[in-house]
Amino acid sequence: MKIFHIDQFPFPLPPGHRFPLEKYALVRETLQTENQGQFQFLVPDAATDAELLLAHTPEYLHKLNTSTLTEREIRRLGLPWSDELLERSRRSVGGTIAACRAALTDGVAMSLAGGTHHAGPDHGEGFCVFNDTPIAARVIQKEGLVRRVVILDCDVHQGNGTASILNGAPTIFTFSIHGQKNFPFRKINGCLDVGLNDGTGDAEYLDTLHEGVTRSLALSNPDLALYLAGADPYQGDKLGRLALTKEGLAERDRMVFTLCREAGIPVAVVMAGGYGREIRDTAEIHVGTARVAERMWGGEGR
């Protein structure tokens, strides 16, 4: 299984910043340590301007390329601006594009980044500079590799930026299952959105997820699925407010992969959010997603 990683492109963060940059290297290192040939680790190319413009406005991209964001725009982004952040963000989008291409060949692939679903057409928001999944979907469509795409967003936060960018695009279906009272406080609905109450646990979440994914696949008839496998529905997440266990999140992954595999739909996986009180819990959840994916397509699933 191909895994695309970008943690060799760090960016400076002030002490105490809550963005968990270290989780990316920890996930990669863990998977590399246990690798016995089942994982192939690759560094993606950076997304080009032409690719980024499939989702973002020329004015916004110009501000990023010239480092002319206003202080208000940087506050909305939630990250200190730097050239290093721009390069990493381009690589993150490139990783999602590469994972899509690989999934179409191999059945599944994963980027150890991405899922930056709060970035809108003309702004960054909530730690998200570019919105990788609509960009990747449109790149793959433009290349003629697929006609229809489904985005299955299982990050705990609603994908407002994705919905805003796609704005009812007929060939890209969006499903989001998230905490209803969590960030963003102004939701922008996509094709199918399910908001859950604070404290929702494994059983209710999984029942709701099964219904939502089944319905999404039936309505979208996709050639490719992009799966945002956020670790932040975990009960120990600082920003999550739901109450899933690690076992519940592993079952979530198996459910999504099973439903897609049975329908003959390849899956490109991105990490999305995860802000555990213990960073190793977050990394363990992301590592678990990679393990489940590999078993289903490369090992026990065959």
Side-chain angles (χ1 to χ4, degrees):
M1 179 174 125
K2 293 184 178 68
I3 293 181
F4 299 89
H5 63 100
I6 63 165
D7 58 271
Q8 68 273 49
F9 299 97
F11 61 94
L13 285 173
H17 197 283
R18 63 180 182 173
F19 184 77
L21 184 61
E22 63 270 30
K23 80 172 184 178
Y24 300 96
L26 185 55
V27 172
R28 176 186 56 80
E29 291 164 1
T30 302
L31 291 171
Q32 286 183 326
T33 298
E34 66 182 44
N35 188 27
Q36 296 182 346
Q38 72 271 38
F39 299 122
Q40 180 183 359
F41 294 89
L42 302 163
V43 178
D45 294 330
T48 66
D49 281 2
E51 290 168 339
L52 298 172
L53 288 170
L54 294 174
H56 297 288
T57 65
E59 294 78 12
Y60 177 54
L61 183 58
H62 176 74
K63 285 183 178 182
L64 298 178
N65 286 338
T66 57
S67 295
T68 53
L69 291 173
T70 66
E71 290 186 9
R72 182 179 180 182
E73 289 169 327
I74 292 173
R75 285 197 302 272
R76 188 176 190 183
L77 173 61
L79 293 167
W81 185 251
S82 65
D83 291 340
E84 292 86 353
L85 175 59
L86 178 59
E87 176 65 18
R88 182 183 173 89
S89 300
R90 284 181 175 271
R91 295 277 178 171
S92 179
V93 177
T96 302
I97 296 170
C100 288
R101 294 184 181 129
L104 291 171
T105 300
D106 303 340
V108 70
M110 185 171 184
S111 173
L112 302 187
T116 47
H117 59 171
H118 298 309
D122 59 357
H123 68 275
E125 180 181 331
F127 306 149
C128 303
V129 178
F130 299 119
N131 198 319
D132 57 301
T133 54
I135 295 170
R138 285 175 168 169
V139 167
I140 299 302
Q141 287 179 326
K142 190 174 182 181
E143 291 175 348
L145 298 175
V146 302
R147 190 172 68 88
R148 301 181 65 85
V149 177
V150 64
I151 297 174
L152 304 173
D153 190 341
C154 294
D155 187 280
V156 80
H157 305 107
Q158 195 259 350
N160 58 327
T162 304
S164 177
I165 287 168
L166 295 174
N167 193 26
T171 59
I172 305 176
F173 189 98
T174 60
F175 166 66
S176 177
I177 181 170
H178 52 265
Q180 183 61 32
K181 296 180 181 179
N182 209 328
F183 180 89
F185 301 108
R186 177 177 175 265
K187 311 289 192 287
I188 300 176
N189 289 335
C191 301
L192 179 60
D193 287 80
V194 180
L196 301 172
N197 293 325
D198 288 2
T200 296
D202 292 348
E204 181 182 350
Y205 184 97
L206 293 169
D207 285 346
T208 306
L209 176 69
H210 189 279
E211 179 181 354
V213 173
T214 300
R215 185 179 174 194
S216 296
L217 298 184
L219 290 171
S220 61
N221 189 28
D223 305 304
L224 173 69
L226 284 129
Y227 172 38
L228 281 70
D232 43 11
Y234 176 54
Q235 61 189 0
D237 194 272
K238 292 183 288 187
L239 304 181
R241 296 169 61 169
L242 298 187
L244 273 70
T245 65
K246 292 178 183 177
E247 293 76 16
L249 286 163
E251 182 57 32
R252 174 201 68 175
D253 295 337
R254 283 189 290 270
M255 182 181 293
V256 170
F257 293 141
T258 297
L259 290 171
C260 289
R261 196 171 189 274
E262 289 177 347
I265 303 163
V267 183
V269 188
V270 294
M271 283 175 64
Y275 314 91
R277 295 180 182 88
E278 297 293 334
I279 193 66
R280 291 194 174 275
D281 287 332
T282 299
E284 183 180 337
I285 293 164
H286 289 308
V287 167
T289 300
R291 289 171 179 158
V292 173
E294 193 284 323
R295 283 197 298 268
M296 292 201 65
W297 269 270
E300 297 172 8
R302 283 186 177 169

